[in-house]
């Protein structure tokens, strides 16, 4: 451990890039989440009907149909062949996320993300233990279970409990007791399991991760030779197992794990500008990995 | 047998244990979810689905709960069920006839808006909709049954004289008036609920019920003799001899009737 790891999270980045620079993608992401929410709320709140519907299915400008492909898949398995409109909508969303990056949905669109992010923020402030950490494959098991249950019961099973569409629908059509469900997820992430919901449980995220496993948009540790082992990226990353292969590995510096949500927090938090957004065919490293020494990463190592 | 001598690999054991744990957890969570899914099928009797809605089980496999039908409804009839507030599968569209009934738009915008076919696009005439069936549930409080001329449910019915007719009957209470009985004909009733909404009583005497509650069904093998006879134009069973009926009158042992005679036997006398 270096002395740097004991410095407050993000302090170096703020010193190097200023507060705005160290929160650029976080702010952009919040703006994006707000944008997609407001787009849906303009109609019911102000009578400006650009988008109708919810994240499960919507119609933009009376023309563009969009359907959540995971809901669509459950419907298929439950035994219903949807009308063309729904199928086209699902295909558009599927192709879009398969190209851009599946879990971009999680960090740039999903309304539950601010909830779990704030739970994580508080978790870190309170210095809590990481708690119950199910295996990485858990959400895939849950996803398969959801699909099987859809087939067995003939109902779109996950929509009975899906907090994403429930919160979104709640804001647009009326809350009911959805707030209790959101509070439960907040508490689960805060007290039971760090990054528990989005990182281990949510089958929607697992599904989007799968469809985006070959997506274009990638974060690359292109400048990894500049890494000074401050560990800040590991601390902020919601899926921090994706970092090591790229940052510490000998192969490509691209973060190729489908679990990466492309949130860009690692880019923000890194004072040395190790990370950047790029495309998956950009296998370029900026500095030769071995020849030049990193800026004395272990200089302050205590003996 | 083949494993004799080869130590079991700890990785294999670990893998099997982890898989068993995950599978066990999934069975538990999946059972819970399946129970929820079955529970969601229990649609309360007052909750009516929009026109063209598939049967409830199919509907839950088709409805993605997007709310586009709600947005297209010009009368704000439809709403999406809210979690823990309405006892309807959460997020699915429904309406309550007594609150806002279906106004039966000619262009059926809710069906046109449905992206998945949970509302069947094959429904092109709103008069063919079957959202439920109106049933006059309370004959004791219905004003028409009391002999008054309320007639409101009949008057407001969008399919007046077909879905609801007024059938006259003798008013035994007054002895000299008619009762105009509002009578629902299920074949023509769309279940729009305008009758229930308009009933003047504090609690409606006529209610739209889901078809499963409102209707019985005839067995497949039942034939109605009179219909068969009419279709054939002759008695269904051939070779029946129509014997003369024995009627009261002359020639019977009914002493009250004119011309009646003493019966040929005597009943035993009652001793005091």
């Amino acid at each position: 451990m270096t002395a740097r790891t004991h410095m407050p999270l993000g302090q170096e980045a703020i010193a190097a890039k200023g507060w705005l620079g160290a929160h650029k993608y976080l702010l952009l992401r919040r703006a994006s989440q707000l944008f997609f929410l407001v787009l849906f709320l303009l109609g019911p709140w102000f009578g400006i009907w650009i988008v109708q519907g919810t994240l499960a299915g919507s119609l933009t400008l009376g023309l563009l149909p969009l359907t959540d492909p995971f809901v669509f898949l459950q419907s298929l398995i439950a035994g219903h062949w949807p009308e063309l409109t729904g199928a086209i909508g699902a295909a558009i969303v599927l192709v879009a996320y398969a190209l851009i990056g599946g879990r971009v949905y999680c960090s740039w669109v999903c309304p539950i993300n601010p909830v779990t992010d704030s739970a994580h923020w508080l978790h870190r402030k309170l210095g809590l233990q990481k708690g119950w950490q199910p295996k990485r494959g858990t959400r895939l098991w849950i996803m398969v279970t959801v699909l099987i249950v859809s087939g067995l019961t003939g109902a779109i099973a996950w929509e009975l409990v899906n907090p994403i569409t429930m919160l979104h629908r709640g804001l647009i059509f009326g809350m009911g007791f959805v707030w209790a469900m959101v509070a439960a997820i907040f508490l689960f992430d805060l007290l039971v399991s760090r990054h528990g919901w989005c990182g281990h449980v949510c089958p929607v995220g697992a599904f989007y991760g799968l469809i985006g496993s070959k997506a274009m948009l990638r974060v690359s540790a292109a400048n990894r030779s500049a890494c000074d082992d401050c560990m800040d990226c590991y601390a902020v990353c919601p899926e921090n197992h994706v970092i090591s292969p790229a940052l510490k590995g000998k192969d490509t510096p691209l973060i190729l794990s489908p679990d990466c949500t492309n949130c860009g927090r690692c880019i923000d938090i890194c004072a040395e500008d190790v990370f950047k957004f790029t495309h998956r065919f950009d296998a370029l490293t900026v500095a030769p990995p071995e020849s030049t020494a990193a800026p004395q990463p272990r200089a302050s190592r205590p003996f | 047998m083949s494993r004799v001598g080869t130590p079991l690999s700890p990785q294999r054991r670990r893998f099997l244990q982890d898989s068993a744990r995950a599978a066990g957890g999934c069975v538990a969570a999946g059972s819970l979810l399946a129970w929820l899914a079955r529970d969601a099928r229990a649609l309360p009797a007052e909750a009516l689905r929009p026109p063209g809605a598939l049967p409830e089980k199919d509907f839950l496999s088709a409805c993605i709960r997007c709310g586009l039908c709600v947005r297209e409804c010009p009368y704000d009839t439809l709403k999406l069920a809210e979690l823990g507030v309405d006892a309807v599968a959460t997020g699915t569209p429904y309406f309550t006839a007594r609150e806002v009934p279906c106004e039966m738009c000619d262009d059926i915008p809710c069906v046109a808006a449905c992206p998945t076919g949970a509302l069947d696009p094959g429904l092109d005439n709103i008069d063919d909709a079957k959202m439920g069936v109106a049933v006059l549930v309370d004959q004791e409080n219905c004003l028409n049954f009391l002999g008054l001329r309320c007639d409101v449910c009949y008057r407001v019915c969008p399919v007046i004289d077909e879905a609801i007719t007024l059938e006259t009957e003798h008013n035994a209470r007054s002895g000299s008036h008619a009762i105009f009985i509002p009578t629902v004909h299920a074949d023509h009733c769309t279940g729009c609920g305008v009758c229930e909404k308009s009933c003047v009583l504090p609690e409606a005497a006529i209610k739209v019920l889901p078809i499963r509650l409102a209707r019985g069904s005839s067995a497949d093998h039942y034939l109605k003799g009179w219909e068969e006879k009419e279709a054939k134009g002759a008695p269904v069973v051939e070779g029946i001899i129509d014997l003369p009926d024995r009627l009261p009158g002359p020639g019977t042992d009914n002493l009250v009737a004119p011309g009646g005679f003493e019966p040929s036997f005597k009943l035993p006398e009652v001793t005091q």
Side-chain angles (χ1 to χ4, degrees), chain A residues 44 49 52-54 56-57 71 75 78 80 82-83 86 135 141 145 149 153-156 159-161 166 169 172-174 176-177, chain B residues 18 22-23 26 30 34 36-37 40-41 57 60-68 71-72 80 82-83 85 90-91 115-117 121:
Chain A
W49 293 104
Q52 287 182 315
T54 65
V71 175
S75 180
H80 177 76
E83 289 297 309
K135 294 237 174 304
W141 281 86
T145 304
V149 171
T153 61
I156 299 177
E159 286 310 287
L160 296 165
V161 287
M166 275 190 193
R169 200 189 303 120
I172 296 167
F173 286 95
F177 281 89
Chain B
D18 285 348
C26 284
L36 273 176
R41 270 189 229 162
K57 187 179 178 300
L60 290 180
S61 74
C63 175
I64 60 170
R65 309 165 190 221
C66 63
L68 288 174
R71 288 288 173 242
E72 288 305 318
L80 292 187
E82 291 180 19
L83 184 71
V85 177
T90 180
T116 65

Side-chain angles (χ1 to χ4, degrees), chain A residues 105-239:
Chain A
Y105 176 80
C106 298
S107 54
W108 293 78
V109 180
C110 178
I112 288 292
N113 178 273
V115 176
T116 57
D117 268 4
S118 48
H120 182 234
W121 178 83
L122 191 58
H123 188 280
R124 212 172 52 219
K125 288 281 168 202
L126 297 175
L128 298 176
Q129 295 292 310
K130 64 180 174 182
W132 180 51
Q133 295 290 292
K135 294 237 174 304
R136 283 288 155 196
T138 304
R139 55 181 159 207
L140 289 170
W141 281 86
I142 294 176
M143 188 192 89
V144 172
T145 304
V146 164
L147 295 177
I148 292 173
V149 171
S150 291
L152 290 179
T153 61
I156 299 177
W158 191 246
E159 286 310 287
L160 296 165
V161 287
N162 187 357
I164 302 171
T165 47
M166 275 190 193
L167 174 58
H168 198 246
R169 200 189 303 120
L171 290 167
I172 296 167
F173 286 95
M175 265 297 193
F177 281 89
V178 172
W179 59 268
M181 186 159 219
V182 174
I185 286 176
F186 182 85
L187 290 177
F188 177 73
D189 265 31
L190 178 67
L191 302 173
V192 182
S193 173
R194 184 175 72 187
H195 292 307
W197 186 263
C198 301
H200 295 281
V201 176
C202 180
V204 181
F207 179 80
Y208 276 96
L210 279 185
I211 63 176
S213 55
K214 297 288 171 217
M216 289 299 116
L217 184 66
R218 290 293 166 188
V219 173
S220 171
N223 196 17
R224 63 184 169 191
S225 57
C227 173
D228 61 0
D229 289 339
C230 75
M231 303 297 279
D232 279 1
C233 54
Y234 288 92
V236 291
C237 180
E239 302 276 354

